[in-house]
Amino acid sequence: QVQLVDSGGGLVQPGGSLRLSCAASGLLFNVYTMNWYRQAPGKQRELVASITSDGITNYADSVKDRFTISRDNAKNTAYLQMNSLKPEDTAVYYCNGYYSPLYDYWGQGTQVAVSS
């Protein structure tokens, strides 16, 4: 059974940092592209960052130079390091593992709140 477990969210002040983790099990982790999405209240889910099986990364313009996605294939875990957080980063963050339309899995989400 495939499982993605998101963790690391919380409440942080503007300018602060958080590190999200996505622990995967039940899949061949190293062949999957790992993505982080977020969904703010009243807004559509948006892709924040992705990392391919080859380690190629891509970021939404709104988080470039502030967020860093990484993966540790030995630990079957993906990470999202978030620095210089802004109130507009407040959202539920979801980990996604994608290989093909049939192999597309989601974590349960972790809440990030940026507020003073």
Side-chain angles (χ1 to χ4, degrees), residues 69-81:
I69 189 171
S70 61
R71 64 191 299 158
D72 185 336
N73 290 338
K75 294 183 178 180
N76 285 4
T77 302
Y79 304 96
L80 185 67
Q81 177 67 43

Side-chain angles (χ1 to χ4, degrees), residues 9-13 18 111-116:
L11 174 64
V12 64
Q13 291 186 340
L18 283 173
Q111 176 73 54
V112 172
V114 185
S115 175
S116 54

Side-chain angles (χ1 to χ4, degrees), residues 32-50:
Y32 279 72
T33 291
M34 299 304 297
N35 305 299
W36 285 98
Y37 286 79
R38 68 185 180 187
Q39 188 166 20
K43 295 188 177 181
Q44 289 191 331
R45 192 173 294 191
E46 63 171 342
L47 178 63
V48 174
S50 64

